[in-house]
Amino acid sequence: MSVVLLIGATSAIGASLVRALATQGNELYLVGRNAERLAGVVEDAKLRGSKVIASMPVDLADLKNCEELKQWISAISEVEHAIILPGVLSDELGTLAQWSQDVMVNFTVPSFLARTISEKMSSQSEGGHLVLIGSVAGDRGRQSNGFYGSQKGALEIYAEALRHRTALKNCKVKVSFVKPGFVVSPMTAELKKNVLFSEPDQIAKKIVSLFSRGRSGVVYAPGWWRLIMLLIKLTPNFIFHRTRL
Amino acid sequence: MTEVWWQDELQKPAIEGARFLPVGLGRSYGDSALLAEEDGVMKSISRAGRLVGFDDETKVLEVEAGCSLGEILKWCVPRGYFLPVVPGTQKVTVGGAIANDIHGKNHHESGTFGRWVVSFDLFRTEGGWVSCSKSENRDLFEATIGGLGLTGVLGRVRLRMHALQGEGLVEQETVRFDSLREGTEILSGLDRRYPMTVAWIDMASKKMGRGVAMGGRFVEGECPRSKRKGISVPFDAPSCLLNRSAIRAFNTVYSATRHPGVERLPFEKYFFPLDGVENWNRLYGARGFLQYQCVVPLHAISALSELQRKIADSGQGAFLSVLKKFGPLSSPGLLSFPMSGWTLAMDFAMEGAATLSLMKKLDGVVREVGGRLYPAKDARMSGEFFREGYPQWEELEKLRDVSITSRFWERVRT
């Protein structure tokens, strides 16, 4: 039984994670955007066996909200595990205003929160384990979703930096970066489903297993995406530029 | 198909003009969960399945309709509760269970699923959310139970649970019989001693009518957690796999391997044997299969014998057949299938015109004694037969949501 902070509890993967973590009887701190939906998630988690829960509705696109969230996190006595999930699929032809907001939600705020949480964990005697969620889209700049992919790629580099910083301060703090492939969720509702799609439950299961393994690093979910992305990364430009990927 | 992840999404306006159909996990055998029109939309509710609340005193569980029975069991069994009615698979949603007013091995003691529904919220195109129970919007309450999703989209449902004796371990007594008539006598006897009964019956081989009756009850004792990893049929088998000889052979072997006696097994194995083989329907190959499930009144045992005769004459064997005695408990649902009597459910490999013609002959036998077929399993019954068997269909049609229809309903209401 651990204390788990989950940011993004009302997303598809978030909901699966809450179910899995609550069933294990963990003490959960939940953050999500929609207050009513979050309340529903909290009730479900309590019924499934989570003993103590506090929750806070937060819109990551709102700076003031994020400052309040930072205070809220600092007030938690001890955070053993933390998962940062938020993400919006960017419109590749979006306006400047839309793109600015996307970067806030996909990169800036998650990085800021990751910094806050890793600092907190570094001061805890038992350290902690922080998990950030990225995407295979960040592995190579591709014309089909380059803006979304680059935000996720940037987040991966920041996670790497955090891993370095925490290794220097307190080696009991682990930082994992999980890269799911295609996942069935409201984010991918418009995309045609094929055999490459995973269920949110599968990703949640992988994330929960990271806590028992207790190692820092980059993980693909499911694991076979590592091979696919390796091939994508190795394809030379003169071939890749002919594709519409 | 659109997936509803949150119930507040139902308030979004529907696509102009297009009709839709709420669906669950798609286990209906025929066309009751298929769209009537090409431009229709399937609204899948299975992603919105949160637990909302549980009252220890009244044993009422409040849950979103997209929650599967399997998910509920995962939650309630360790806490000492069980669902009041379970069908042959746990992969159905609460919404689907209500829409088909499902029944199980314990019908003679507990009736259908609808009997245990206290109330629910229903979302209708005209009027939005409506609260339904026996004392509020009773007409909609009764039309929705067994109503095949036609009255609107189910939201939160309040269900009365049963206290579970033990940890989910089931004791099962197996008794063999050599003829259909003997089977009905044995089932009647088992009904008096067991809360859950059913019989497997051979409707394929030369020794048609023989079978195995099983009575079950929950008992105290440690229940081994079945960690079995199910197998999956990855693609359609060749159509010749389940041909007539194979079906006959299977029934002979199955009969020979059922030993009389008493055994104990975990509830998953007892209630949901087919859940262990994912996509078992693919064994029938591309041509598929049709299920025929009928119910005939208690006195009409001769009709059962007549059904057996007609099947024997046709040469087409039913791969898997199940016989059960329904009890007299009524359901609040307008279109509820069970009646006090005998139900026979049979899977036939689809051989085209021959299978359809056999089923038409079986319809005649069932109709003559005032029986009917189960919409959840049907893909071909005539509109007249349906309307005769369910005289209250017109009330359902009056209460049908303006934007909802299914291929089944369009087929049988005219």
Side-chain angles (χ1 to χ4, degrees):
Chain A
M1 205 223 67
S2 313
V3 178
V4 185
L5 167 64
L6 175 54
I7 302 177
T10 51
S11 65
I13 299 176
S16 292
L17 269 168
V18 172
R19 248 203 315 272
L21 293 166
T23 311
Q24 288 176 341
N26 293 298
E27 193 177 302
L28 300 179
Y29 289 84
L30 304 177
V31 176
R33 184 164 35 145
N34 182 311
E36 254 191 66
R37 292 180 180 185
L38 186 60
V41 170
V42 168
E43 280 316 307
D44 178 275
K46 280 193 179 140
L47 275 163
R48 286 181 198 272
S50 185
K51 305 256 166 43
V52 175
I53 293 182
S55 65
M56 182 175 169
V58 174
D59 182 355
L60 294 195
D62 182 324
L63 279 174
K64 193 157 154 289
N65 244 193
C66 293
E67 275 302 329
E68 286 162 2
L69 178 58
K70 180 180 178 212
Q71 303 306 327
W72 189 80
I73 293 174
S74 309
I76 302 173
S77 52
E78 187 172 344
V79 176
E80 290 166 72
H81 300 140
I83 309 164
I84 302 180
L85 279 172
V88 290
L89 194 58
S90 290
D91 177 358
E92 292 298 311
L93 303 172
T95 62
L96 184 57
Q98 280 169 336
W99 274 20
S100 295
Q101 198 171 88
D102 287 355
V103 174
M104 272 280 284
V105 175
N106 282 331
F107 173 68
T108 322
V109 175
S111 300
F112 184 75
L113 295 173
R115 187 184 104 202
T116 307
I117 294 168
S118 70
E119 273 163 8
K120 188 181 178 70
M121 284 180 175
S122 293
S123 64
Q124 292 170 177
S125 57
E126 294 303 306
H129 197 151
L130 170 61
V131 178
L132 283 148
I133 310 298
S135 166
V136 296
D139 278 14
R140 180 175 184 154
R142 297 176 296 109
Q143 70 90 22
S144 61
N145 66 356
F147 189 61
Y148 173 72
S150 40
Q151 292 164 75
K152 291 300 191 178
L155 194 60
E156 185 171 356
I157 295 176
Y158 189 65
E160 199 176 22
L162 272 184
R163 210 174 288 131
H164 183 184
R165 190 176 301 159
T166 55
L168 286 174
K169 271 174 57 188
N170 178 349
C171 57
K172 280 195 176 162
V173 178
K174 314 283 174 215
V175 179
S176 295
F177 195 76
V178 177
K179 298 202 274 196
F182 291 119
V183 181
V184 180
S185 75
M187 192 192 256
T188 56
E190 304 291 312
L191 299 179
K192 205 160 173 241
K193 307 290 179 286
N194 55 45
V195 71
L196 291 173
F197 273 80
S198 305
E199 285 289 313
D201 281 343
Q202 284 171 276
I203 314 297
K205 202 167 160 199
K206 191 97 194 229
I207 296 173
V208 172
S209 75
L210 287 178
F211 292 139
S212 42
R213 261 192 275 150
R215 272 204 313 259
S216 276
V218 173
V219 170
Y220 286 83
W224 40 262
W225 275 101
R226 187 179 286 269
L227 180 59
I228 297 183
M229 296 323 291
L230 183 63
L231 294 170
I232 299 256
K233 281 191 280 197
L234 290 176
T235 306
N237 281 335
F238 77 91
I239 298 177
F240 203 80
H241 284 184
R242 277 170 217 221
T243 73
R244 315 224 101 229
L245 280 169
Chain B
M1 167 148 91
T2 56
E3 298 201 281
V4 175
W5 290 84
W6 300 91
Q7 302 212 314
D8 53 52
E9 287 172 9
L10 293 171
Q11 250 126 343
K12 281 197 219 137
I15 307 167
E16 270 321 308
R19 294 203 281 186
F20 73 93
L21 181 64
V23 299
L25 287 165
R27 306 290 153 168
S28 290
Y29 287 63
D31 54 359
S32 52
L34 292 182
L35 292 167
E37 296 127 349
E38 278 216 21
D39 58 351
V41 178
M42 294 236 242
K43 264 202 193 155
S44 172
I45 60 163
S46 60
R47 299 280 178 192
R50 260 147 241 114
L51 300 178
V52 179
F54 183 67
D55 186 324
D56 286 299
E57 274 184 46
T58 58
K59 299 203 202 76
V60 173
L61 171 68
E62 188 172 358
V63 65
E64 290 181 347
C67 191
S68 73
L69 299 191
E71 272 299 316
I72 295 181
L73 288 173
K74 258 196 229 152
W75 173 82
C76 72
V77 170
R79 289 165 171 81
Y81 295 96
F82 207 79
L83 283 163
V85 174
V86 293
T89 169
Q90 51 185 330
K91 298 178 191 181
V92 298
T93 57
V94 169
I98 293 175
N100 293 281
D101 199 17
I102 59 171
H103 58 269
K105 295 185 170 111
N106 65 351
H107 185 273
H108 60 291
E109 277 208 3
S110 302
T112 60
F113 197 83
R115 273 182 78 84
W116 303 90
V117 174
V118 174
S119 64
F120 50 77
D121 302 330
L122 186 70
F123 188 80
R124 289 179 48 92
T125 305
E126 289 173 352
W129 287 107
V130 188
S131 256
C132 303
S133 67
K134 283 205 171 111
S135 47
E136 205 185 348
N137 295 304
R138 189 180 178 136
D139 52 354
L140 270 176
F141 181 71
E142 293 175 348
T144 304
I145 295 175
L148 304 169
L150 297 166
T151 54
V153 187
L154 280 166
R156 292 180 175 185
V157 175
R158 284 155 288 278
L159 208 56
R160 200 179 305 275
M161 305 289 281
H162 277 188
L164 175 64
Q165 185 206 348
E167 294 175 23
L169 190 62
V170 175
E171 183 174 272
Q172 175 176 267
E173 181 185 339
T174 304
V175 182
R176 296 175 65 95
F177 55 85
D178 290 316
S179 74
L180 191 141
R181 213 157 259 277
E182 195 191 341
T184 58
E185 280 156 20
I186 290 185
L187 268 175
S188 296
L190 285 176
D191 275 7
R192 285 191 281 273
R193 295 187 290 125
Y194 289 94
M196 304 176 306
T197 59
V198 75
W200 166 80
I201 184 166
D202 178 348
M203 285 298 208
S205 72
K206 290 211 174 73
K207 299 228 180 96
M208 241 193 231
R210 67 178 163 184
V212 174
M214 296 162 279
R217 64 165 71 93
F218 281 111
V219 290
E220 297 286 351
E222 207 191 304
C223 186
R225 277 284 73 120
S226 23
K227 290 248 163 129
R228 65 173 177 181
K229 269 204 142 177
I231 55 172
S232 173
V233 183
F235 44 77
D236 282 343
S239 293
C240 53
L241 180 70
L242 289 186
N243 59 20
R244 292 186 184 189
S245 348
I247 288 173
R248 273 198 287 271
F250 168 77
N251 277 268
T252 306
V253 170
Y254 191 81
S255 169
T257 50
R258 297 309 103 185
H259 302 296
V262 178
E263 63 177 311
R264 293 186 161 198
L265 48 159
F267 74 89
E268 292 106 322
K269 268 215 167 114
Y270 176 75
F271 286 110
F272 316 120
L274 275 179
D275 280 356
V277 185
E278 186 85 32
N279 298 317
W280 53 264
N281 50 299
R282 289 186 181 152
L283 290 173
Y284 287 96
R287 63 182 175 162
F289 72 103
L290 286 180
Q291 194 180 88
Y292 192 86
Q293 180 164 9
C294 61
V295 61
V296 298
L298 210 52
H299 57 84
I301 295 190
S302 51
L304 290 177
S305 307
E306 184 58 28
L307 288 173
Q308 183 181 319
R309 244 191 309 276
K310 292 228 171 340
I311 295 170
D313 289 342
S314 76
Q316 290 171 75
F319 182 58
L320 196 62
S321 310
V322 165
L323 175 71
K324 180 175 171 57
K325 188 178 181 189
F326 280 148
L329 291 174
S330 63
S331 161
L334 288 183
L335 253 59
S336 185
F337 162 68
M339 63 170 72
S340 178
W342 302 96
T343 183
L344 189 55
M346 302 172 283
D347 285 344
F348 288 96
M350 177 52 164
E351 291 180 17
T355 310
L356 294 172
S357 143
L358 167 63
M359 291 194 172
K360 223 159 166 79
K361 293 198 181 95
L362 300 181
D363 283 354
V365 176
V366 176
R367 246 175 129 160
E368 201 173 317
V369 293
R372 57 191 175 203
L373 302 189
Y374 191 15
K377 313 284 184 82
D378 175 69
R380 35 62 55 199
M381 76 169 127
S382 72
E384 288 144 342
F385 187 17
F386 170 75
R387 296 191 295 273
E388 208 175 275
Y390 296 93
Q392 295 179 296
W393 72 275
E394 280 181 298
E395 266 108 280
L396 174 58
E397 173 62 4
K398 284 194 201 115
L399 291 167
R400 180 162 63 96
D401 186 298
V402 293
S403 311
I404 299 180
T405 190
S406 63
R407 194 180 299 182
F408 173 83
W409 195 247
E410 293 304 312
R411 175 164 63 81
V412 300
R413 72 187 180 97
T414 43

